[in-house]
Every structure is written in C-alpha cells, then in structure tokens.
C-alpha cells in the first residue's frame, strides 16, 4: 500500500488546520479566495472521531489542489443536507462533495444538481439511485468479510457473536451486514450471529449489547460496524468483567471499523482485537480530486488507479473508486486468508494525527 507519503505530509500539516464548520448546520465558511474554482463540501456529522478527522483533512487538500472551499454540516439529517445543497447552488459552486447517510432520500437533490450541471462526488456512501460524478468509498462488503474471517478464526468456527449494525437505510450498513452474514453462513456455520440494528447510535448499541450478553452470557465476539460503538462496548464489557487480556479465557473478541486513534490504542492495549481502517485522509483527498477533475472535464473508466485502488462500475453511469482499507490487528497476522497490518504501523492515518 502506497499510503505512507500521503499520510506523512498530511500529519505535518494538521497542526496548522482550523476546524471548518464543525457544528454549524447550514453555515458556510470559505477556505481561500481568488480565481480558484469554488466547491462545496457538506460534512455529514461532527460527533465521531472519524468524521472529525475527515473535517480536519478537507481544507488541507483543498489548498493543495487549488480549490476555494465552502463547507456545511448536515448533522446526519437529510433535510439539512438538502437545504445545504440549495445554499451551495445559490453561491455558485462548481461542484459538491457530500456523504449522505440516508442513501435513498438524497435522490431528488442529486437530480436537481444534475439538472444544473453541478457535478457531485459522494464520500463513504453511495446513493441508491441518481447520478454522481464519482463515489469515493472503500469496499464496505470487504469490511464485513474481514470482520467475519477474523472472528471466525479467533472463535475456531464455533460460538456466538453480536453484530452491532449501523443504519440499514445506508448502503454501508446494508453492505457490512449482508457480507458478514453471508461469510459466516458459508465459512463458519457453527457460529450464531445476533444482528442488532443501532442506527449508528452508540447508546442504542451499548443497550442492545447489554441485553444480548444477559440473555447469552457465552457470547465470545462482537462486530461493531463503526467506532461509534467503541466507548459503549468497552464500558459494557468492563461492567461485566469481560474486558480482560486476550489470553484470558473470559476475553470477548471485538472487531471494529474506522481506524481512529482510539481503536488503534485499544488494540495495542488488548481491549479490542481488530479494526478495518477507513481512509479518512484519502476520502478527503480524492473527493476533492474528483471534483477538480469534473470541473476540468476529465473522464474516468473502470480499472486500477495510480493510488492503490480500483474504480468499478456500480451501475450504468455510476463509478466508484474503492480505496484501500486494511484489516488492523495487534500482530499483523493473516486471518481466514485475510492479511492484516499491525496497529502501530505508521502508514495508518490513525497513527499520524499528532
């Protein structure tokens, strides 16, 4: 993986960044001025470490790519996202990057922007319908498969696990859930999976994990579909005397998704066992890269890229750049045929936030 050079330069610049529009629903801020193309970026939320990292990276890459930047924050509300898109259009932006959490409800807004010939890049999520210039995302089905292979290997193909799902109104929640279930059914039929919908809400995740552990105290694995559930999961395990060293027979194996610094520290400390590192830095970089490409009239087609990813055609007229998202573990071992990197690897963006 050729992330190191990008990450190192990113880390050096982060200390000088200002958090733009971290909480201001419909407010906008400009990153620079002049004759540079003006683009809008809507941040989906600012209540998770992952998205706050994305927010920090965005202005840096806008500057590097020569783009003027206006930002909004839709706070996980599709109505606010729609209103923010209207604001961008009224300001004359040449392109918009967004990360719609409700991937069905965003279709009318996409249609309106298409009619106005304003290219859209979606980040992390893919719209269920409608056209965008490019989707910048990692392979979310691979997230579920990697979590499955890790837990399946650790549990020796037997036992019970809880899957703390995100939101099933999101393509991410559906992809991770379906892939995890299919992988378990195919490769580890001796493992019982308790799927719990949480709507990406940490409090709901903690409550449902508590309920499952009460009903099934022999649960030995947890798959958290995002780091939103990290704090609550650790608290529940601690309360029940299960937050113990991985060598202890009472240990519950935990896999997360995101790759935030707290996850990497928790892996090193033996509190959780693995995560899949979503590239917050590269989401910001390539969202803006493709907006600039759209403004410049460039076209792309399916195939390998020059940045260790693959562009696929999801459906006619819709391309997705699937960025690298490695499994991260304490030992860097291979699990069910899936290689991993060590949690202290400096190539991981979560180890380069300063």
């Amino acid at each position: 993986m050729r992330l190191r050079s990008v990450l190192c330069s990113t880390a050096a610049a982060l200390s000088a960044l200002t958090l733009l529009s971290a909480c201001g629903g419909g407010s906008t801020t400009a990153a620079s001025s002049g004759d540079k193309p003006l683009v809008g970026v809507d941040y989906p939320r600012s209540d998770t470490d992952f998205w706050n990292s994305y927010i920090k990276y965005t202005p840096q890459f806008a500057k590097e790519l020569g783009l003027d930047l206006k930002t909004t924050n839709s706070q996980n509300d599709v109505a606010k996202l729609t209103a923010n898109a209207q604001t961008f259009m009224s300001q004359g932006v040449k392109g918009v990057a967004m990360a719609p959490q409700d991937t069905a409800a965003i279709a009318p807004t996409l249609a309106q922007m298409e009619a106005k010939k304003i290219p859209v890049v979606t980040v992390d999520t893919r719209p269920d319908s409608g056209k965008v210039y490019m989707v910048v995302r990692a392979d979310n089905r691979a997230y579920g498969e990697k979590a499955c292979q890790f837990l399946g290997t650790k549990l020796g193909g037997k036992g019970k696990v809880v899957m703390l799902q995100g939101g099933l109104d999101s393509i991410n929640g559906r992809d991770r859930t379906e892939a995890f279930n299919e992988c378990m059914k195919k490769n580890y039929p001796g493992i019982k999976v308790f799927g719990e919908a949480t709507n990406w809400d940490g409090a709901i995740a903690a409550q449902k994990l508590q309920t499952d552990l009460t009903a099934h105290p022999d649960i030995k694995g947890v798959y958290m579909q995002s780091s939103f559930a990290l704090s609550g999961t650790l608290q529940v395990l601690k309360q029940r005397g299960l937050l113990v060293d991985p060598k202890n027979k009472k240990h519950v194996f935990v896999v997360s998704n995101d790759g935030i610094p707290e996850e990497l520290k928790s892996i090193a400390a033996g509190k959780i066992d693995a995560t899949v590192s979503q590239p917050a830095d590269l989401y910001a970089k390539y969202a803006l890269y493709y907006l600039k490409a759209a403004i410049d009239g460039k076209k792309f087609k399916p195939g390998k890229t020059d940045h260790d990813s693959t562009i696929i055609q999801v459906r006619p007229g819709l391309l997705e750049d699937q960025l690298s998202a490695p499994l991260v573990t304490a030992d860097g071992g291979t699990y069910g045929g899936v290689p991993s990197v060590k949690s202290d690897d400096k190539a991981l963006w979560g180890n380069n936030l300063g």
Side-chain angles (χ1 to χ4, degrees):
M1 124 169 105
R2 297 190 295 240
L3 294 179
R4 193 176 305 273
S5 61
V6 172
L7 289 167
C8 290
S9 63
T10 299
L14 276 174
S15 60
L17 295 178
T18 300
L19 193 63
L20 296 179
S21 291
C23 301
S27 64
T28 61
T29 54
S32 58
S33 60
D35 298 328
K36 301 172 184 178
L38 177 65
V39 300
V41 176
D42 182 81
Y43 302 137
R45 56 198 302 172
S46 54
D47 58 351
T48 69
D49 289 344
F50 178 82
W51 284 114
N52 280 334
S53 297
Y54 171 79
I55 288 169
K56 289 181 180 180
Y57 284 117
T58 297
Q60 177 204 342
F61 287 119
K63 182 177 180 180
E64 288 184 10
L65 291 164
L67 297 170
D68 269 356
L69 179 66
K70 287 188 176 292
T71 66
T72 56
N73 191 313
S74 53
Q75 300 174 337
N76 205 26
D77 184 332
V78 71
K80 289 183 179 179
L81 175 54
T82 298
N84 292 345
Q86 297 294 330
T87 299
F88 285 146
M89 285 187 276
S90 71
Q91 292 172 330
V93 300
K94 302 300 182 183
V96 172
M98 61 174 68
Q101 302 298 285
D102 187 330
T103 53
I106 196 60
T109 300
L110 295 179
Q112 186 177 10
M113 301 188 86
E114 181 186 7
K116 291 182 177 293
K117 301 188 184 304
I118 299 174
V120 175
V121 172
T122 63
V123 182
D124 180 54
T125 63
R126 181 177 69 228
D128 294 355
S129 61
K131 293 183 179 179
V132 299
Y133 180 79
M134 183 69 73
V135 177
V136 175
R137 189 170 175 250
D139 183 350
N140 277 247
R141 288 190 61 84
Y143 292 3
E145 291 166 359
K146 291 173 181 180
C148 160
Q149 294 291 1
F150 181 84
L151 287 176
T153 300
K154 285 294 188 181
L155 270 62
K158 298 179 181 180
K160 299 174 182 178
V161 303
V162 177
M163 173 169 52
L164 298 174
Q165 302 162 321
L168 298 183
D169 58 350
S170 161
I171 186 65
N172 289 354
R174 296 195 298 272
D175 275 358
R176 296 175 198 184
T177 296
E178 291 168 4
F180 186 83
N181 282 333
E182 290 171 10
C183 171
M184 281 294 184
K185 183 177 180 180
K186 177 182 178 181
N187 299 293
Y188 306 103
I191 292 180
K192 171 68 175 177
V193 178
F194 299 99
E196 300 291 1
T198 70
N199 196 34
W200 308 111
D201 187 308
I204 294 174
Q207 182 271 320
K208 290 192 173 182
L209 177 60
Q210 184 78 268
T211 299
D212 284 335
L213 283 169
T214 298
H216 306 278
D218 55 343
I219 284 170
K220 298 300 292 181
V222 177
Y223 170 37
M224 308 183 301
Q225 289 190 359
S226 167
S227 59
F228 76 93
L230 178 63
S231 177
T233 294
L234 293 180
Q235 183 177 14
V236 169
L237 293 178
K238 184 176 181 179
Q239 289 173 348
R240 303 185 72 93
L242 301 175
L243 193 61
V244 295
D245 186 86
K247 295 180 180 179
N248 190 311
K249 66 180 182 179
K250 294 174 63 178
H251 182 76
V252 175
F253 293 95
V254 178
V255 185
S256 188
N257 281 159
D258 276 347
I260 63 170
E262 192 60 33
E263 288 175 327
L264 303 183
K265 293 175 184 176
S266 293
I267 292 172
K271 294 180 180 179
I272 71 171
D273 303 274
T275 189
V276 178
S277 179
Q278 283 201 103
D281 57 337
L282 300 185
Y283 278 1
K285 177 176 182 176
Y286 287 103
L288 295 168
Y289 166 84
Y290 283 115
L291 280 187
K292 188 173 189 298
I295 294 167
D296 293 341
K298 294 182 180 180
K299 303 291 184 182
F300 295 89
K301 58 184 180 180
K304 296 288 186 181
T305 72
D306 61 358
H307 48 270
D308 286 336
S309 67
T310 301
I311 296 176
I312 66 168
Q313 180 171 289
V314 178
R315 56 180 181 263
L318 185 65
L319 297 178
E320 177 173 304
D321 187 355
Q322 295 191 328
L323 302 177
S324 175
L327 178 67
V328 182
T329 63
D331 63 1
T334 298
Y335 297 88
V338 178
S340 70
V341 299
K342 289 186 177 181
S343 59
D344 60 357
D345 193 320
K346 293 302 181 183
L348 296 169
W349 69 267
N351 284 326
N352 287 279
L353 287 178

